[in-house]
Amino acid sequence: MYRVIIVSVFVVFCMATVSTAASVKIVNGDDADIEDHPWMVSFQIGTGGVNYTHECGGAIIDKSWVLTAAHCNLFEYEAKDMRIAAGSSFLSQITEFIAVKKFHVHDKFKPTWGTGPQNDLMLLHLQKPLKFGSTINKIDLDINVGHNYTGEVCTITGWGKTDAKGRNSPDRLQVLYMPAVTNAYCNNSYFLVQKRPLFPEAYSNFICLQDKDKDSCQGDSGGPVVCSNKLVGALSFGGNICNGSLPSVHTKISPYLDWIKDKMNTKNNKNQKDKKKKKNDKGKSDGKGKSEGKGKSGEKGKGKKN
């Protein structure tokens, strides 16, 4: 999560030498068990595919797909430098690491630091599917586009900093239960600090949470916001200090359902077509009279799909 609203190109340039994104951690949270949040993953980046470090959180939404924040790859690392880690409450004890095959940053993502990033979502397509169980599983997406979560207590999890000034990094997953506030209040809170509106383009595409002395912080970006057992948001940014003085701002998932489904279905359809093509090619090269039958089967399958 962005903890500092950056207003100069110079500062952005300096940040590039330090971190791939100004992300966020949970302050004054509780120790969490991964069995209670099996969709939670650590999104990690390593230079040249080695020396991976925790960068952001993410949520498993399918065996081969993870949803996180676009700004977690603000400096445009390649897929070969990315992986996810899953299956343990402790970062040091995770043994399940899956490389990222391809990533999809939202087409209209804008890292507008002064007013907060817009369309801050990224899909990670994994090189191999996860094996679901008690510590690794998916979470269903919130599909109720018009639902107002104001006043509801939602859950956020992460391995971000636990100190308000962003100093201490936990090994164990942390959890917070925080109420959702209105976007009008959220917008006004930031306006008082930076003298400009927070949501200049898509006012309804955010969900904000706030509680006294509790907050997300550096390293929590992209982490899931869960309300009523549904994935409602992904952490995007917050204030300078992780002390709850400003609401944490999360990209709301439901307005982006079409984009998510389009990216996932496009890739899944391509995989199925590639498999059928390989099957047909194998049939054609088989000199035992089986190629015709396999070819017809492939064409029939395509007909049903359309």
Side-chain angles (χ1 to χ4, degrees):
M1 158 176 152
Y2 291 122
R3 294 314 306 186
V4 181
I5 305 301
I6 296 184
V7 294
S8 82
V9 174
F10 174 74
V11 176
V12 173
F13 174 78
C14 291
M15 286 182 61
T17 66
V18 179
S19 170
T20 59
S23 28
V24 292
K25 178 207 158 186
I26 287 175
V27 176
N28 289 329
D30 298 316
D31 290 344
D33 294 320
I34 196 66
E35 290 83 358
D36 297 326
H37 316 276
W39 48 82
M40 183 72 202
V41 303
S42 168
F43 171 59
Q44 303 181 347
I45 291 179
T47 305
V50 295
N51 301 320
Y52 286 98
T53 57
H54 171 78
E55 184 65 28
C56 289
I60 300 168
I61 60 173
D62 184 83
K63 286 186 176 181
S64 297
W65 294 90
V66 166
L67 187 65
T68 186
H71 81 260
C72 291
N73 188 31
L74 187 64
F75 300 108
E76 300 181 354
Y77 281 79
E78 297 180 27
K80 64 182 179 63
D81 297 314
M82 304 175 184
R83 73 180 186 185
I84 63 103
S88 177
S89 308
F90 298 88
L91 281 176
S92 62
Q93 297 179 18
I94 291 178
T95 58
E96 184 71 9
F97 301 99
I98 307 289
V100 173
K101 183 177 183 179
K102 191 173 183 179
F103 64 90
H104 303 274
V105 171
H106 193 277
D107 317 68
K108 296 183 179 180
F109 168 61
K110 295 180 181 179
T112 47
W113 299 85
T115 57
Q118 306 291 313
N119 308 301
D120 191 13
L121 289 178
M122 177 169 63
L123 276 168
L124 307 176
H125 185 219
L126 307 182
Q127 283 193 4
K128 64 178 183 179
L130 291 157
K131 295 180 180 179
F132 285 173
S134 61
T135 61
I136 299 177
N137 218 316
K138 72 172 185 176
I139 184 168
D140 292 332
L141 301 177
D142 172 37
I143 61 173
N144 195 343
V145 179
H147 185 70
N148 183 355
Y149 285 93
T150 301
E152 292 191 32
V153 176
C154 301
T155 302
I156 61 173
T157 46
W159 284 282
K161 304 295 183 183
T162 51
D163 177 80
K165 294 183 179 180
R167 293 178 295 194
N168 301 323
S169 298
D171 184 42
R172 183 164 184 172
L173 183 66
Q174 299 292 296
V175 60
L176 272 181
Y177 306 96
M178 300 177 66
V181 298
T182 68
N183 278 5
Y185 166 81
C186 188
N187 188 56
N188 187 58
S189 297
Y190 280 90
F191 181 80
L192 292 174
V193 173
Q194 61 192 34
K195 307 305 179 186
R196 66 179 70 187
L198 181 61
F199 311 127
E201 294 183 14
Y203 189 85
S204 62
N205 289 0
F206 296 91
I207 177 172
C208 298
L209 308 179
Q210 187 177 25
D211 202 358
K212 183 180 180 181
D213 299 326
K214 297 179 180 180
D215 210 344
S216 49
C217 203
Q218 286 83 13
D220 287 325
S221 286
V225 177
V226 178
C227 312
S228 302
N229 299 315
K230 301 290 184 182
L231 182 63
V232 172
L235 181 58
S236 187
F237 64 96
N240 289 6
I241 301 176
C242 315
N243 62 2
S245 59
L246 284 172
S248 60
V249 184
H250 314 255
T251 304
K252 200 172 181 182
I253 302 301
S254 57
Y256 298 94
L257 289 174
D258 288 343
W259 174 77
I260 293 171
K261 292 176 181 178
D262 177 66
K263 294 302 179 185
M264 291 176 64
N265 289 338
T266 298
K267 196 63 185 179
N268 291 338
N269 289 344
K270 183 179 184 302
N271 289 341
Q272 291 176 10
K273 289 179 180 179
D274 288 344
K275 288 180 181 178
K276 287 181 180 180
K277 184 177 184 301
K278 289 180 180 178
K279 185 176 180 180
N280 291 341
D281 289 345
K282 182 179 179 182
K284 291 177 183 178
S285 64
D286 191 335
K288 298 179 181 179
K290 294 181 180 180
S291 61
E292 183 179 355
K294 289 189 178 182
K296 288 181 179 179
S297 174
E299 291 301 319
K300 185 177 181 181
K302 290 180 182 177
K304 284 184 178 179
K305 203 169 184 61
N306 294 335

